Amino acid sequence: MSENPAQPLIDRRRLLFGAGALGAGAALAACTSNSPAESATTAAAAATTSAAAAGTPVTIGFSAPAADHGWIAAITTNAKSQAATFGDVTLEAVEGSNDVNQQISQVQTLIDKKVDALVILPFDGNALTEIGITAMEAGIPVINLDRIFASPRGSRTWIGGDNYGMGVAAGRYIGEQLKAKGVSNPVIGEIQGIANLQLTQERSKGFADALGTFGFKVSRQVSAEFTVESGQKVTADLLQAAPKLDAVWNHDDDQGIGVLAAIDQAGRKEFFMVGGAGSRNAMDLIKADSGVLKCTVTYPPTMASSAINLARLVAQGNGMGDLVENEIPASITLASATVTKENVDKYLPLGFAS
Amino acid sequence: MNDAGVTGPTVAEGVGAAGSPPGPARDEVTARPARGGLVRSLRFADAGLVVVLVLLVVAGTVTSDAFLTGSNLRNILVSSSVIGVVTVGATLVIIGGGIDLSVGAIVALASVWATTLQTQSYGPVVMVLCAVLVGAGAGLVNGVLISYGRLVPFIATLAMLVAARGLAARMAENRTQLVTQDAIKRIATTDVLGVPALVLVLLATGLVGWFILERTTFGRRVIAVGGNSEAARLAGIDVRRVTASLYVISGVCCGIAAVMIMARTTTGSSTHGSLYELDAIAAAIIGGTLLTGGRGTIVGALLGVLVFTTITNIFILNNLSTDVQNIAKGAIIVAAVLIQRRTPTRSAPVTT
């Protein structure tokens, strides 16, 4: 094919191909930009800070898993923007990692640097407990964010969301709505995140318990993987399995984009849906009130902002403004708010970009 | 690829056995393409898989009223379409003696690249072109590294897997990028002559893949290279070019799949296509493709995809939990391969 004896000096085909490839490459490179990006919602940073008066300068170390998911990305963004609001705080944030070994060594590095306080969202709470204890024994107060350590000795304070309470909030909203509509034997679907995680099981338990108080139960349960694609996939199958639904709870607004895509593609609108976590996108949809999504129950990533506040207070030896005690509490569980069309405006600034 | 090294000494015999004199032969290394390729591919390796599929359909029908309905069968086909397109490319690579671990990552990268605000501002046509070009580009990098840079395919595509996902995450700033162009979203809901557009894309890709493999000189070369690359080289095939082209084809398939996934999920995200590499390889293997190359069919691989999608569908219709699903899936993969082995297959090429 190619061993042509009378080959021209310059292979025109190759030349054209080469030029074409170059052009395509240049055109593609122009497509990478995301610059007119939505003016990043730096969630609720300065708004809520009390005791903002400058104190002794402190350095806070921060370590969280890799930002491969809207919620975790928001955690890191919030921590950074919150720290930036304080003139007396320097944030030492290490690059997020989903490898517990790496996270342990990163925290060790922060300890060696003798930071004044640590904020740690462990990839796996059990695995990071030892390094938490090491830090505490080195005299560095640790704020354990969300995923809890196996031992309370590993942290000065734990602050995190309420997975069980989130399920209860979703179950209660769905129960009340269905009761009000007078549906007697409702078909209720549940779309979980990753099924074998502790937090998923707690959410499902809370959901089932709350529905139980209304005499309802979950009829169809599927699990996705917190990703848009998996949400779309399992929902497409769920909708086939249940030709008629009354209500659906989807645990996670990030995967919810896929869930809603599947619902749209199937042309289904006979039921209403409750989301979870509280993304900006979900709140916009609730506000617009144009689709099945009527409500979301929050699991606010603003907890990272609060954790930075706590770390600052503890490093400067202060208590919390509105409490009487001289020390900050040992554990803070955040309530899961039920966001509906009525109160969505209040929560919109807290919504995170998925 | 390993194979070539191990069987090195037998190369000469291999060529002799293939029945074509090494010297002057240029293109026609193996016997000319046999007539009725589609039927033939069905007769051999895929008969067992059809049996498995029929068993699954029976199981589905018995256990759930919702299974054998038009809308559910349609749902199964649509669900198979994205991974199906990826599998076509991945299967060709495997038949050519390589492996492509980067397919899922390339899907993610192409979906992100095609949904940046900048790309979306140029409209849907540019988005599609962008996705396909990104796929082809990533495939070209794989191909060049492997054939001209002499990297082991496993390593080269593993590197691409990691790098492409990283680049996708960076480009998307770890966000999920929403598709704002309605024309793209509409792909997922459009029917052409009563068949979902996504399924037609799969059919078209499958048909092209089948045609390339069974009806073109390039296809015969792919099989020859996969069976014994050294013998193919001695027979005058430009092995490196064939190999590089295969990865580009696989990349293009990923680009097409990225557009489909953008339509399905209405987003571009660095998490798209996770574990596609395993799904595609598994589908190819239970579809009768030899992991060491030289043998395999597109039809078989697509049947493999259908088996997997049908299994998931049946489990969800029956409201089974994920852990049970996973246990059963493992068992069914083994069963499918065992059933398949009972059906006659062509003898594997080149043994010592």
Side-chain angles (χ1 to χ4, degrees):
Chain A
M1 191 163 144
S2 57
E3 267 70 50
N4 189 344
Q7 210 168 22
L9 214 60
I10 303 165
D11 186 332
R12 204 159 56 97
R13 210 178 47 169
R14 276 189 197 178
L15 193 70
L16 280 175
F17 180 77
L22 270 179
L28 270 183
C31 283
T32 59
S33 164
N34 251 333
S35 47
E38 67 271 48
S39 52
T41 46
T42 42
T48 54
T49 53
S50 63
T56 46
V58 290
T59 304
I60 298 175
F62 178 80
S63 169
D68 51 6
H69 177 255
W71 190 85
I72 299 266
I75 285 279
T76 307
T77 325
N78 287 352
K80 286 182 178 162
S81 55
Q82 183 72 0
T85 63
F86 295 114
D88 52 1
V89 169
T90 313
L91 191 72
E92 283 259 3
V94 292
E95 191 55 39
S97 167
N98 283 352
D99 172 359
V100 286
N101 279 318
Q102 196 178 336
Q103 197 178 12
I104 289 170
S105 55
Q106 285 172 338
V107 173
Q108 184 63 54
T109 314
L110 291 171
I111 295 173
D112 295 342
K113 280 185 180 169
K114 300 197 185 339
V115 292
D116 298 300
L118 274 167
V119 174
I120 303 174
L121 171 55
F123 180 71
D124 174 349
N126 291 336
L128 270 284
T129 305
E130 274 308 313
I131 194 72
I133 293 174
T134 311
M136 289 291 284
E137 284 173 354
I140 301 171
V142 175
I143 311 296
N144 178 194
L145 188 54
D146 200 44
R147 299 179 191 170
I148 195 162
F149 288 151
S151 159
R153 287 196 298 132
S155 65
R156 166 64 184 80
T157 292
W158 174 83
I159 176 169
D162 183 2
N163 286 300
Y164 181 83
M166 192 179 165
V168 170
R172 192 175 292 147
Y173 178 83
I174 287 178
E176 280 165 2
Q177 295 292 315
L178 292 175
K179 264 275 159 12
K181 284 186 188 164
V183 186
S184 59
N185 205 1
V187 183
I188 299 172
E190 182 183 2
I191 301 165
Q192 299 177 320
I194 298 171
N196 57 12
L197 294 183
Q198 177 82 18
L199 68 94
T200 299
Q201 286 149 21
E202 283 172 15
R203 288 177 188 185
S204 286
K205 178 145 195 337
F207 188 54
D209 288 354
L211 287 178
T213 61
F214 294 90
F216 300 155
K217 63 178 177 34
V218 177
S219 336
R220 290 273 169 190
Q221 191 183 55
V222 291
S223 52
E225 284 151 22
F226 288 134
T227 62
V228 181
E229 189 194 350
S230 62
Q232 197 277 344
K233 252 186 204 159
V234 299
T235 309
D237 280 334
L238 170 75
L239 294 175
Q240 289 301 326
K244 186 191 165 293
L245 282 161
D246 291 295
V248 170
W249 181 38
N250 163 49
H251 285 206
D252 180 74
D253 286 337
D254 281 318
Q255 73 187 20
I257 299 173
V259 171
L260 289 168
I263 292 171
D264 280 349
Q265 283 151 18
R268 296 278 290 268
K269 38 176 89 76
E270 82 278 7
F271 57 90
F272 65 95
M273 179 170 131
V274 176
S279 75
R280 176 70 196 228
N281 181 50
M283 290 193 200
D284 285 341
L285 288 171
I286 291 167
K287 191 176 160 82
D289 195 22
S290 52
V292 292
L293 190 66
K294 300 296 180 202
C295 166
T296 188
V297 289
T298 63
Y299 197 84
T302 45
M303 64 177 72
S305 312
S306 303
I308 294 292
N309 282 11
L310 290 171
R312 173 174 171 268
L313 290 174
V314 87
Q316 294 177 342
N318 295 325
M320 277 169 75
D322 290 341
L323 299 186
V324 183
E325 287 74 20
N326 285 327
E327 295 83 25
I328 62 165
S331 114
I332 299 173
T333 309
L334 301 169
S336 178
T338 307
V339 179
T340 61
K341 192 176 180 229
E342 283 69 42
N343 64 3
V344 65
D345 286 323
K346 188 170 133 199
Y347 291 95
L348 263 178
L350 304 185
F352 60 92
S354 53
Chain B
M1 282 279 122
N2 272 344
D3 243 15
V6 175
T7 58
T10 68
V11 159
E13 292 95 308
V15 174
S20 65
R26 287 182 310 275
D27 294 345
E28 298 76 22
V29 173
T30 50
R32 51 228 61 79
R35 293 265 112 216
L38 197 60
V39 180
R40 189 198 53 203
S41 20
L42 270 174
R43 198 168 2 141
F44 284 113
D46 312 327
L49 216 48
V50 173
V51 172
V52 174
L53 206 52
V54 169
L55 287 178
L56 281 175
V57 169
V58 170
T61 315
V62 170
T63 53
S64 169
D65 293 338
F67 182 78
L68 211 56
T69 60
S71 75
N72 189 51
L73 296 183
R74 179 191 165 90
N75 172 43
I76 292 177
L77 286 176
V78 173
S79 288
S80 310
S81 59
V82 182
I83 182 69
V85 168
V86 171
T87 302
V88 169
T91 304
L92 286 173
V93 170
I94 297 174
I95 293 174
I99 193 97
D100 194 347
L101 298 179
S102 63
V103 286
I106 296 178
V107 169
L109 178 62
S111 82
V112 166
W113 207 316
T115 54
T116 57
L117 294 172
Q118 196 73 51
T119 317
Q120 296 211 40
S121 69
Y122 294 118
V125 176
V126 172
M127 288 168 73
V128 173
L129 277 178
C130 174
V132 173
L133 277 178
V134 168
L140 185 66
V141 172
N142 276 339
V144 168
L145 283 178
I146 290 160
S147 53
Y148 298 97
R150 295 177 185 267
L151 258 66
V152 181
F154 192 94
I155 297 301
T157 57
L158 187 66
M160 177 59 75
L161 184 166
V162 181
R165 260 201 210 287
L167 181 56
R170 180 145 204 98
M171 215 180 266
E173 291 154 357
N174 288 310
R175 299 275 159 76
T176 303
Q177 299 180 158
L178 293 176
V179 174
T180 50
Q181 294 284 352
D182 285 335
I184 298 284
K185 292 193 216 168
R186 236 177 285 134
I187 298 173
T189 47
T190 305
D191 277 14
V192 181
L193 305 171
V195 184
L198 290 175
V199 177
L200 287 179
V201 174
L202 171 62
L203 283 179
T205 315
L207 210 59
V208 170
W210 172 84
F211 185 82
I212 289 177
L213 187 64
E214 308 277 347
R215 282 279 180 276
T216 63
T217 321
F218 177 76
R220 309 317 296 174
R221 290 177 183 167
V222 169
I223 293 172
V225 169
N228 187 331
S229 67
E230 191 57 24
R233 188 184 67 80
L234 291 174
I237 295 178
D238 187 344
V239 173
R240 292 186 300 184
R241 186 189 286 189
V242 170
T243 306
S245 313
L246 283 174
Y247 288 94
V248 175
I249 292 174
S250 176
V252 168
C253 287
C254 294
I256 296 171
V259 176
M260 298 162 79
I261 214 170
M262 278 150 51
R264 283 273 276 170
T265 65
T266 70
T267 61
S269 163
S270 61
T271 60
H272 283 348
S274 75
L275 296 185
Y276 271 22
E277 53 280 359
L278 295 187
D279 291 345
I281 293 168
I285 301 304
I286 76 166
T289 302
L290 208 59
L291 196 48
T292 46
R295 182 160 67 79
T297 64
I298 300 294
V299 181
L302 290 182
L303 282 173
V305 170
L306 272 183
V307 165
F308 280 119
T309 320
T310 311
I311 293 171
T312 313
N313 178 262
I314 292 174
F315 283 133
I316 291 185
L317 291 187
N318 284 300
N319 212 6
L320 288 173
S321 64
T322 314
D323 39 8
V324 179
Q325 288 185 32
N326 288 339
I327 297 168
K329 253 187 216 172
I332 290 170
I333 293 172
V334 175
V337 174
L338 286 179
I339 291 179
Q340 206 180 50
R341 206 185 279 167
R342 301 189 70 103
T343 58
T345 52
R346 273 191 288 167
S347 60
V350 191
T351 42
T352 322

